[in-house]
Amino acid sequence: MKIIHIVFLFSFLSFTTSQASVNDFCVADLKAPDTPSGYHCKPLANITSDDFVFHGFKAGNTNNSFNAALTSAFVTDFPGLNGLGISAARLDIAENGSIPMHTHPGATELLIIVQGEITAGFLTPTAVYSKTLKPGDLMVFPQGMLHFQINTGKGKATAFLTFSSANPGAQLLDLLLFSNNLPSQLVAQTTFLDLAQVQKLKARFGGRG
């Protein structure tokens, strides 16, 4: 019986090793559909150095409802990340701006402060873990946790983000609640918010109903 286990383990390791050696990388073919395991690979003959370089890590426009901008370097922007389990983003928050409550269901996030002051935190059913961060500080948000970032300093705040997924996605609580056509009365009943406030927020975020 032990011999069978050893043979099985050897066969498994040989299979995974051989598969890893077939493709050193899998640059995303963004013209193909996305799948749960990522994009299909571009043909090797079509891959260039540009697939492994991202040039757009610049400050975004913070003139919006949140006074904040996220410049993403996800697989859809940076095809060389496909299948590697990593991605990045740049976060710029104007004074008094914020990134509202949101989650990344498929990724852990690491926040790296480079300018200004950001108060950030995440929530569990029983606790809040929050900290005011300054340049040189890092904070991690475990996968799936509801979290936020607020500029609590003077002037603009800038941070870099890394994720444990090539395409982390995001679910913003405000947009989920107020940018759709769910009837305002139902939103009010399920959140205990005043109906007039729900209607006001729906108008702000483009919702109907």
Side-chain angles (χ1 to χ4, degrees), residues 7-152:
V7 171
F8 174 79
L9 180 61
F10 178 78
S11 300
F12 176 76
L13 291 174
S14 299
F15 174 78
T16 54
T17 302
S18 63
Q19 288 299 305
S21 64
V22 170
N23 289 318
D24 295 316
F25 47 77
C26 176
V27 173
D29 180 359
L30 298 179
K31 295 180 181 178
D34 192 8
T35 73
S37 59
Y39 285 92
H40 294 291
C41 306
K42 284 176 65 173
L44 193 60
N46 296 343
I47 295 173
T48 71
S49 298
D50 289 335
D51 289 314
F52 302 99
V53 178
F54 181 74
H55 297 287
F57 232 36
K58 301 176 182 178
N61 182 8
T62 58
N63 185 23
N64 52 55
S65 295
F66 303 118
N67 295 318
L70 185 79
T71 304
S72 63
F74 302 157
V75 66
T76 48
D77 316 295
F78 192 179
L81 296 180
N82 193 46
L84 300 184
I86 57 170
S87 60
R90 172 178 172 144
L91 177 62
D92 293 282
I93 311 179
E95 191 169 337
N96 298 318
S98 66
I99 299 296
M101 296 287 183
H102 65 285
T103 67
H104 304 290
T108 293
E109 175 184 334
L110 183 67
L111 176 73
I112 307 165
I113 309 299
V114 297
Q115 177 185 342
E117 178 183 288
I118 292 177
T119 297
F122 65 92
L123 291 71
T124 74
T126 59
V128 177
Y129 301 94
S130 178
K131 198 75 175 177
T132 297
L133 309 169
K134 296 186 178 181
D137 293 339
L138 287 74
M139 186 169 185
V140 67
F141 307 98
Q143 180 175 328
M145 294 288 96
L146 195 66
H147 60 284
F148 63 90
Q149 292 103 13
I150 304 170
N151 183 345
T152 50

Side-chain angles (χ1 to χ4, degrees), residues 176-191 193-200 202 207-209:
L176 287 172
L177 287 172
F178 307 118
S179 68
N180 54 47
N181 60 0
L182 188 65
S184 297
Q185 184 63 46
L186 285 180
V187 177
Q189 286 179 307
T190 56
T191 61
L193 292 172
D194 182 83
L195 178 60
Q197 183 65 30
V198 171
Q199 292 172 334
K200 179 181 177 180
K202 274 184 167 283
R208 303 186 306 279

